[in-house]
Short mmCIF file of all heavy atoms in Angstrom, two decimals:
data_model
loop_
_atom_site.label_atom_id
_atom_site.label_comp_id
_atom_site.label_asym_id
_atom_site.label_seq_id
_atom_site.Cartn_x
_atom_site.Cartn_y
_atom_site.Cartn_z
N VAL A 1 -39.72 -66.89 26.35
CA VAL A 1 -40.43 -67.68 25.27
C VAL A 1 -40.90 -66.74 24.20
O VAL A 1 -40.81 -67.05 22.98
CB VAL A 1 -41.57 -68.49 25.88
CG1 VAL A 1 -42.40 -69.11 24.77
CG2 VAL A 1 -41.05 -69.52 26.83
N ILE A 2 -41.45 -65.52 24.54
CA ILE A 2 -42.12 -64.71 23.62
C ILE A 2 -41.15 -63.70 22.98
O ILE A 2 -40.46 -63.01 23.71
CB ILE A 2 -43.29 -63.94 24.29
CG1 ILE A 2 -44.27 -64.92 24.93
CG2 ILE A 2 -44.01 -63.01 23.31
CD1 ILE A 2 -45.24 -64.29 25.87
N PRO A 3 -41.07 -63.57 21.65
CA PRO A 3 -40.24 -62.59 21.03
C PRO A 3 -40.62 -61.18 21.48
O PRO A 3 -41.80 -60.90 21.65
CB PRO A 3 -40.49 -62.74 19.52
CG PRO A 3 -41.01 -64.18 19.40
CD PRO A 3 -41.76 -64.44 20.70
N ASN A 4 -39.61 -60.31 21.70
CA ASN A 4 -39.93 -59.02 22.31
C ASN A 4 -40.89 -58.18 21.47
O ASN A 4 -41.72 -57.47 21.99
CB ASN A 4 -38.63 -58.22 22.57
CG ASN A 4 -38.90 -56.94 23.33
OD1 ASN A 4 -39.07 -55.88 22.65
ND2 ASN A 4 -39.03 -57.04 24.63
N GLN A 5 -40.79 -58.28 20.14
CA GLN A 5 -41.66 -57.51 19.28
C GLN A 5 -43.12 -57.98 19.36
O GLN A 5 -43.98 -57.32 18.84
CB GLN A 5 -41.16 -57.46 17.86
CG GLN A 5 -41.20 -58.77 17.14
CD GLN A 5 -39.97 -59.62 17.36
OE1 GLN A 5 -39.17 -59.33 18.23
NE2 GLN A 5 -39.72 -60.61 16.51
N LEU A 6 -43.33 -59.14 20.00
CA LEU A 6 -44.68 -59.63 20.22
C LEU A 6 -45.15 -59.62 21.63
O LEU A 6 -46.26 -60.01 22.00
CB LEU A 6 -44.80 -61.08 19.63
CG LEU A 6 -44.76 -61.26 18.12
CD1 LEU A 6 -44.66 -62.71 17.76
CD2 LEU A 6 -45.94 -60.63 17.46
N GLN A 7 -44.20 -59.20 22.53
CA GLN A 7 -44.51 -59.31 23.98
C GLN A 7 -45.70 -58.42 24.38
O GLN A 7 -46.47 -58.83 25.24
CB GLN A 7 -43.26 -58.96 24.76
CG GLN A 7 -42.25 -60.09 24.86
CD GLN A 7 -41.09 -59.80 25.78
OE1 GLN A 7 -41.18 -58.86 26.60
NE2 GLN A 7 -40.04 -60.56 25.68
N GLY A 8 -45.76 -57.19 23.81
CA GLY A 8 -46.93 -56.36 24.17
C GLY A 8 -48.19 -57.06 23.94
O GLY A 8 -49.13 -57.03 24.83
N ARG A 9 -48.39 -57.70 22.75
CA ARG A 9 -49.64 -58.33 22.43
C ARG A 9 -49.89 -59.62 23.29
O ARG A 9 -50.91 -59.84 23.80
CB ARG A 9 -49.65 -58.66 20.92
CG ARG A 9 -49.97 -57.52 20.08
CD ARG A 9 -49.56 -57.72 18.65
NE ARG A 9 -48.10 -57.50 18.42
CZ ARG A 9 -47.50 -57.60 17.30
NH1 ARG A 9 -48.16 -58.01 16.20
NH2 ARG A 9 -46.22 -57.36 17.19
N ALA A 10 -48.81 -60.42 23.37
CA ALA A 10 -48.98 -61.66 24.10
C ALA A 10 -49.17 -61.46 25.61
O ALA A 10 -50.00 -62.14 26.25
CB ALA A 10 -47.74 -62.55 23.88
N LEU A 11 -48.47 -60.51 26.18
CA LEU A 11 -48.61 -60.24 27.59
C LEU A 11 -49.98 -59.56 27.86
O LEU A 11 -50.63 -59.82 28.92
CB LEU A 11 -47.45 -59.40 28.10
CG LEU A 11 -46.09 -60.04 28.13
CD1 LEU A 11 -45.02 -59.05 28.54
CD2 LEU A 11 -46.04 -61.25 29.00
N SER A 12 -50.41 -58.73 26.93
CA SER A 12 -51.74 -58.08 27.16
C SER A 12 -52.85 -59.17 27.00
O SER A 12 -53.90 -59.02 27.65
CB SER A 12 -51.93 -56.96 26.17
OG SER A 12 -52.09 -57.46 24.87
N LEU A 13 -52.62 -60.15 26.15
CA LEU A 13 -53.58 -61.19 26.05
C LEU A 13 -53.72 -61.95 27.42
O LEU A 13 -54.84 -62.33 27.81
CB LEU A 13 -53.21 -62.22 24.97
CG LEU A 13 -54.16 -63.41 24.78
CD1 LEU A 13 -55.55 -62.88 24.32
CD2 LEU A 13 -53.62 -64.34 23.67
N LEU A 14 -52.59 -62.17 28.10
CA LEU A 14 -52.68 -62.78 29.38
C LEU A 14 -53.41 -61.91 30.38
O LEU A 14 -54.23 -62.36 31.16
CB LEU A 14 -51.28 -63.06 29.94
CG LEU A 14 -51.18 -63.68 31.37
CD1 LEU A 14 -51.90 -65.00 31.40
CD2 LEU A 14 -49.69 -63.80 31.75
N SER A 15 -53.19 -60.61 30.29
CA SER A 15 -53.95 -59.67 31.14
C SER A 15 -55.42 -59.67 30.82
O SER A 15 -56.27 -59.54 31.73
CB SER A 15 -53.37 -58.22 30.93
OG SER A 15 -52.05 -58.12 31.29
N THR A 16 -55.73 -59.87 29.54
CA THR A 16 -57.15 -59.90 29.14
C THR A 16 -57.80 -61.18 29.66
O THR A 16 -58.90 -61.16 30.26
CB THR A 16 -57.26 -59.91 27.63
OG1 THR A 16 -56.78 -58.69 27.12
CG2 THR A 16 -58.72 -60.08 27.14
N VAL A 17 -57.12 -62.32 29.52
CA VAL A 17 -57.64 -63.56 30.03
C VAL A 17 -57.88 -63.53 31.56
O VAL A 17 -58.94 -63.86 32.09
CB VAL A 17 -56.68 -64.73 29.69
CG1 VAL A 17 -57.04 -65.99 30.40
CG2 VAL A 17 -56.63 -64.97 28.20
N MET A 18 -56.87 -63.00 32.28
CA MET A 18 -57.01 -62.89 33.71
C MET A 18 -57.99 -61.79 34.09
O MET A 18 -58.71 -61.92 35.10
CB MET A 18 -55.62 -62.61 34.34
CG MET A 18 -54.65 -63.81 34.12
SD MET A 18 -52.93 -63.41 34.56
CE MET A 18 -53.11 -63.16 36.35
N GLY A 19 -57.95 -60.73 33.28
CA GLY A 19 -58.91 -59.63 33.56
C GLY A 19 -60.35 -59.99 33.45
O GLY A 19 -61.23 -59.51 34.14
N LEU A 20 -60.64 -60.86 32.45
CA LEU A 20 -61.99 -61.32 32.25
C LEU A 20 -62.35 -62.32 33.37
O LEU A 20 -63.54 -62.40 33.83
CB LEU A 20 -62.18 -61.95 30.89
CG LEU A 20 -62.22 -60.92 29.72
CD1 LEU A 20 -62.25 -61.70 28.38
CD2 LEU A 20 -63.38 -60.01 29.81
N ALA A 21 -61.40 -63.11 33.73
CA ALA A 21 -61.64 -64.14 34.78
C ALA A 21 -61.96 -63.46 36.09
O ALA A 21 -62.80 -63.95 36.87
CB ALA A 21 -60.47 -65.09 34.93
N GLY A 22 -61.25 -62.33 36.43
CA GLY A 22 -61.44 -61.67 37.67
C GLY A 22 -62.85 -61.15 37.86
O GLY A 22 -63.51 -61.45 38.91
N PRO A 23 -63.36 -60.35 36.91
CA PRO A 23 -64.80 -59.86 37.07
C PRO A 23 -65.81 -61.02 37.15
O PRO A 23 -66.79 -60.89 37.87
CB PRO A 23 -65.00 -59.04 35.80
CG PRO A 23 -63.67 -58.52 35.44
CD PRO A 23 -62.73 -59.68 35.81
N VAL A 24 -65.58 -62.11 36.35
CA VAL A 24 -66.50 -63.21 36.45
C VAL A 24 -66.49 -63.79 37.87
O VAL A 24 -67.55 -64.10 38.47
CB VAL A 24 -66.11 -64.27 35.42
CG1 VAL A 24 -66.93 -65.56 35.62
CG2 VAL A 24 -66.35 -63.74 34.05
N GLY A 25 -65.24 -63.94 38.39
CA GLY A 25 -65.14 -64.45 39.79
C GLY A 25 -65.82 -63.55 40.76
O GLY A 25 -66.49 -63.98 41.73
N LEU A 26 -65.66 -62.24 40.62
CA LEU A 26 -66.30 -61.30 41.50
C LEU A 26 -67.80 -61.34 41.39
O LEU A 26 -68.53 -61.23 42.40
CB LEU A 26 -65.79 -59.88 41.25
CG LEU A 26 -64.38 -59.60 41.75
CD1 LEU A 26 -63.83 -58.30 41.12
CD2 LEU A 26 -64.38 -59.47 43.29
N ALA A 27 -68.30 -61.48 40.15
CA ALA A 27 -69.78 -61.55 39.96
C ALA A 27 -70.30 -62.79 40.64
O ALA A 27 -71.43 -62.76 41.22
CB ALA A 27 -70.11 -61.54 38.47
N LEU A 28 -69.60 -63.90 40.64
CA LEU A 28 -70.04 -65.12 41.27
C LEU A 28 -69.87 -64.96 42.80
O LEU A 28 -70.66 -65.53 43.60
CB LEU A 28 -69.16 -66.31 40.78
CG LEU A 28 -69.39 -66.74 39.31
CD1 LEU A 28 -68.45 -67.81 38.92
CD2 LEU A 28 -70.85 -67.15 39.05
N ALA A 29 -68.85 -64.24 43.26
CA ALA A 29 -68.59 -64.12 44.65
C ALA A 29 -69.63 -63.31 45.39
O ALA A 29 -69.86 -63.60 46.57
CB ALA A 29 -67.17 -63.47 44.85
N ALA A 30 -70.31 -62.38 44.72
CA ALA A 30 -71.23 -61.51 45.39
C ALA A 30 -72.42 -62.34 46.00
O ALA A 30 -72.66 -62.29 47.21
CB ALA A 30 -71.76 -60.43 44.42
N PRO A 31 -73.09 -63.17 45.20
CA PRO A 31 -74.13 -64.03 45.81
C PRO A 31 -73.58 -65.12 46.73
O PRO A 31 -74.17 -65.44 47.74
CB PRO A 31 -74.88 -64.58 44.62
CG PRO A 31 -73.91 -64.50 43.48
CD PRO A 31 -73.07 -63.33 43.74
N LEU A 32 -72.47 -65.70 46.31
CA LEU A 32 -71.87 -66.77 47.15
C LEU A 32 -71.45 -66.21 48.52
O LEU A 32 -71.55 -66.84 49.55
CB LEU A 32 -70.66 -67.42 46.45
CG LEU A 32 -70.98 -68.38 45.33
CD1 LEU A 32 -69.72 -68.82 44.68
CD2 LEU A 32 -71.83 -69.55 45.75
N GLY A 33 -70.92 -64.94 48.49
CA GLY A 33 -70.49 -64.36 49.77
C GLY A 33 -71.65 -64.12 50.69
O GLY A 33 -71.54 -64.23 51.95
N GLU A 34 -72.78 -63.72 50.08
CA GLU A 34 -73.99 -63.53 50.97
C GLU A 34 -74.47 -64.87 51.54
O GLU A 34 -75.05 -64.91 52.63
CB GLU A 34 -75.06 -62.89 50.14
CG GLU A 34 -74.75 -61.57 49.55
CD GLU A 34 -74.50 -60.48 50.58
OE1 GLU A 34 -74.91 -60.63 51.72
OE2 GLU A 34 -73.90 -59.43 50.22
N TRP A 35 -74.24 -65.96 50.84
CA TRP A 35 -74.71 -67.31 51.27
C TRP A 35 -73.70 -67.93 52.19
O TRP A 35 -74.08 -68.44 53.27
CB TRP A 35 -74.93 -68.19 49.98
CG TRP A 35 -75.42 -69.56 50.33
CD1 TRP A 35 -76.35 -69.94 51.18
CD2 TRP A 35 -74.85 -70.75 49.76
NE1 TRP A 35 -76.46 -71.29 51.24
CE2 TRP A 35 -75.56 -71.83 50.37
CE3 TRP A 35 -73.87 -71.05 48.86
CZ2 TRP A 35 -75.25 -73.17 50.06
CZ3 TRP A 35 -73.56 -72.35 48.55
CH2 TRP A 35 -74.22 -73.43 49.17
N LEU A 36 -72.43 -67.98 51.81
CA LEU A 36 -71.41 -68.68 52.55
C LEU A 36 -70.86 -67.77 53.68
O LEU A 36 -70.28 -68.25 54.63
CB LEU A 36 -70.26 -69.15 51.68
CG LEU A 36 -70.51 -70.18 50.59
CD1 LEU A 36 -69.32 -70.39 49.72
CD2 LEU A 36 -70.95 -71.49 51.25
N GLY A 37 -70.99 -66.47 53.51
CA GLY A 37 -70.30 -65.53 54.37
C GLY A 37 -68.91 -65.27 53.83
O GLY A 37 -68.32 -66.07 53.10
N VAL A 38 -68.34 -64.15 54.18
CA VAL A 38 -67.06 -63.77 53.64
C VAL A 38 -65.98 -64.81 54.02
O VAL A 38 -65.05 -65.10 53.30
CB VAL A 38 -66.64 -62.33 54.08
CG1 VAL A 38 -66.42 -62.25 55.60
CG2 VAL A 38 -65.41 -61.89 53.29
N ARG A 39 -66.08 -65.37 55.26
CA ARG A 39 -65.06 -66.34 55.71
C ARG A 39 -65.14 -67.62 54.92
O ARG A 39 -64.11 -68.17 54.47
CB ARG A 39 -65.28 -66.61 57.19
CG ARG A 39 -64.17 -67.35 57.84
CD ARG A 39 -64.48 -67.67 59.29
NE ARG A 39 -63.38 -68.32 60.01
CZ ARG A 39 -63.51 -69.02 61.08
NH1 ARG A 39 -64.71 -69.09 61.73
NH2 ARG A 39 -62.49 -69.61 61.66
N GLY A 40 -66.37 -68.14 54.69
CA GLY A 40 -66.48 -69.33 53.94
C GLY A 40 -66.05 -69.16 52.50
O GLY A 40 -65.51 -70.10 51.85
N LEU A 41 -66.30 -67.93 51.95
CA LEU A 41 -65.82 -67.66 50.56
C LEU A 41 -64.34 -67.76 50.46
O LEU A 41 -63.81 -68.30 49.49
CB LEU A 41 -66.37 -66.29 50.19
CG LEU A 41 -66.09 -65.87 48.73
CD1 LEU A 41 -66.80 -66.80 47.79
CD2 LEU A 41 -66.51 -64.44 48.50
N PHE A 42 -63.63 -67.24 51.46
CA PHE A 42 -62.19 -67.28 51.45
C PHE A 42 -61.66 -68.72 51.44
O PHE A 42 -60.74 -69.09 50.73
CB PHE A 42 -61.61 -66.53 52.67
CG PHE A 42 -61.25 -65.08 52.41
CD1 PHE A 42 -62.25 -64.17 52.10
CD2 PHE A 42 -59.95 -64.66 52.47
CE1 PHE A 42 -61.90 -62.82 51.91
CE2 PHE A 42 -59.63 -63.32 52.21
CZ PHE A 42 -60.67 -62.42 51.94
N VAL A 43 -62.26 -69.54 52.30
CA VAL A 43 -61.81 -70.91 52.42
C VAL A 43 -62.02 -71.69 51.13
O VAL A 43 -61.17 -72.37 50.57
CB VAL A 43 -62.52 -71.63 53.59
CG1 VAL A 43 -62.17 -73.11 53.62
CG2 VAL A 43 -62.12 -70.96 54.91
N ALA A 44 -63.24 -71.56 50.58
CA ALA A 44 -63.52 -72.28 49.34
C ALA A 44 -62.65 -71.74 48.18
O ALA A 44 -62.12 -72.62 47.42
CB ALA A 44 -64.98 -72.02 48.96
N ALA A 45 -62.49 -70.51 48.09
CA ALA A 45 -61.67 -69.96 46.99
C ALA A 45 -60.20 -70.39 47.11
O ALA A 45 -59.55 -70.74 46.13
CB ALA A 45 -61.75 -68.43 46.98
N GLY A 46 -59.65 -70.34 48.36
CA GLY A 46 -58.24 -70.80 48.52
C GLY A 46 -57.99 -72.21 48.14
O GLY A 46 -57.00 -72.50 47.46
N VAL A 47 -58.89 -73.11 48.59
CA VAL A 47 -58.68 -74.52 48.26
C VAL A 47 -58.87 -74.79 46.74
O VAL A 47 -58.04 -75.50 46.18
CB VAL A 47 -59.70 -75.38 49.10
CG1 VAL A 47 -59.58 -76.85 48.70
CG2 VAL A 47 -59.36 -75.29 50.59
#
């Protein structure tokens, strides 16, 4: 879909979107993991 001369920018934007989502998820997971336990966190996240 993406023209090659724009792929670096468009693909890095996807990395940015996912990269920002990852740390946010980890920041939320730290307190949730202490509350739910690591096992409960896995189940909730997977579903």
Side-chain angles (χ1 to χ4, degrees):
V1 173
I2 302 169
N4 186 264
Q5 66 273 17
L6 290 172
Q7 281 187 16
R9 282 162 279 180
L11 293 177
S12 70
L13 180 61
L14 178 60
S15 297
T16 296
V17 170
M18 295 170 66
L20 288 174
V24 171
L26 284 166
L28 295 173
L32 286 176
E34 301 294 345
W35 178 48
L36 295 175
V38 66
R39 191 183 183 198
L41 184 64
F42 266 67
V43 174
V47 172

